[in-house]
Amino acid sequence: PDGTYAADGKYLETMEQHCIPCKTGKYCQGGEYSDDNRCDAGFFCRAGAAIPNDKNMLCPAGFYCEEGSIKPTKCSNGTFSSAGAKSDKDCTSCTIGYYCPEGTTKKIACPEGSYCPLGA
């Protein structure tokens, strides 16, 4: 079934339990595996993915997922994402007066008496 493949592309086994789950970061359709079948940017693919953009594997807020991601990556310190980003460049820079720790989903107001420059 989709999400699995047969070893060496051979269909020698007739029972579904002998199918191999697709590798992380990839998706498999029609019982075949290809290194070119990477999950879409903005998504990550667990083992056994059947499509490149499963809504259950949507990159979460505070993270980015490049094409072929096997797991979400946190947006860097000084940036945030309110929705899953496709690359680190899609994480938004924190504005003056706010700070953004790694993996932040929204900018946080700078504490009174503190200084928070652009990208804090």
Side-chain angles (χ1 to χ4, degrees):
D2 287 344
T4 65
Y5 66 100
D8 300 323
K10 297 175 184 173
Y11 297 97
L12 300 176
E13 303 295 342
T14 57
M15 300 187 67
E16 191 173 313
Q17 67 207 38
H18 296 288
C19 297
I20 301 166
C22 199
K23 297 177 182 180
T24 55
K26 313 285 185 192
Y27 68 96
C28 297
Q29 293 180 336
E32 296 182 2
Y33 173 84
S34 171
D35 279 330
D36 294 332
N37 289 352
R38 293 183 290 271
C39 61
D40 290 345
F43 297 84
F44 64 100
C45 291
R46 296 181 185 107
I51 59 174
N53 50 14
D54 186 328
K55 66 180 182 177
N56 293 320
M57 294 183 287
L58 183 63
C59 200
F63 293 81
Y64 65 92
C65 298
E66 295 177 331
E67 182 183 57
S69 290
I70 61 173
K71 66 179 185 173
T73 303
K74 289 182 181 180
C75 287
S76 301
N77 283 325
T79 65
F80 72 98
S81 77
S82 55
K86 294 181 178 183
S87 75
D88 59 336
K89 294 176 184 171
D90 292 331
C91 296
T92 306
S93 230
C94 224
T95 55
I96 295 171
Y98 295 87
Y99 70 101
C100 301
E102 182 182 58
T104 301
T105 60
K106 62 183 179 180
K107 56 189 181 178
I108 302 166
C110 194
E112 189 174 328
S114 299
Y115 173 67
C116 294
L118 180 67

